[in-house]
Amino acid sequence: MTMIRRSAGFALILIALLAGAVWMLHPWMTAGVSPFQSVNEAEGLAIHVEAGSASSTGAILTLVNSTDREWQFGQEYWIEKKENGEWHEIRSLRSRAFDALSYLLAPHSTREEVCSFSDGYGRLTTGEYRLVKELLREKSGGWESSYVAAEFAVE
């Protein structure tokens, strides 16, 4: 009986270690070509990764609103990797959940956000990436949506 318990315990530890290895190596796996063909097209809206802040597990972002309108955004973002000159979605390790909070980006303002990739993507491998966020503003009859993207490299 003791031998069976030890074997079961060893098997569980081995499974946990293998799952952790897959978690850490997974981000090189990409899905299809990016669905975000139109980014950074809204005049006066921008996003960039702070110099020196990008790593394999996160980055510091700055959102910039140079317009006369208030924009809103949530916690959700997408990471894409450049392969053969095209942007490709990176498969998320698991279903990602974000708080349904809305943050305001006031007219003529900036906002800094700390973004952790490791929960949804594990560690990014070496390469060229971009982070995509959706910004929204209220417009008569509904909402206007715009996507902004910031490129960064992981070495």
Side-chain angles (χ1 to χ4, degrees):
M1 188 68 157
T2 304
M3 185 63 141
I4 293 172
R5 285 187 181 169
R6 284 186 189 160
S7 295
F10 178 74
L12 288 174
I13 290 170
L14 184 60
I15 289 169
L17 289 172
L18 289 173
V22 169
W23 176 265
M24 299 308 277
L25 297 175
H26 177 81
W28 63 266
M29 298 169 62
T30 56
V33 175
S34 171
F36 304 106
Q37 299 305 317
S38 300
V39 296
N40 299 331
E41 291 186 346
E43 191 172 325
L45 292 179
I47 185 173
H48 66 270
V49 173
E50 289 297 315
S53 75
S55 73
S56 62
T57 58
I60 298 172
L61 310 172
T62 300
L63 292 121
V64 180
N65 179 4
S66 300
T67 72
D68 293 330
R69 302 255 174 140
E70 181 176 83
W71 288 80
Q72 297 178 32
F73 63 95
Q75 292 179 334
E76 188 172 18
Y77 63 88
W78 300 268
I79 300 284
E80 299 181 329
K81 186 173 186 179
K82 191 179 257 187
E83 294 179 337
N84 300 320
E86 289 185 314
W87 291 108
H88 291 262
E89 290 182 272
I90 295 179
R91 293 184 185 142
S92 182
L93 295 171
R94 59 184 171 180
S95 296
R96 296 181 307 145
F98 296 95
D99 289 335
L101 299 173
S102 182
Y103 301 97
L104 299 178
L105 189 57
H108 304 284
S109 70
T110 62
R111 183 177 174 115
E112 190 174 274
E113 295 287 317
V114 176
C115 190
S116 173
F117 312 145
S118 54
D119 288 345
Y121 297 101
R123 289 186 176 273
L124 302 180
T125 57
T126 301
E128 292 180 61
Y129 293 89
R130 74 177 179 179
L131 183 140
V132 180
K133 282 194 76 67
E134 180 181 29
L135 294 163
L136 300 160
R137 74 178 175 105
E138 203 166 354
K139 197 174 180 182
S140 61
W143 291 89
E144 176 183 357
S145 176
S146 183
Y147 293 93
V148 291
E151 295 182 22
F152 62 96
V154 172
E155 298 177 7

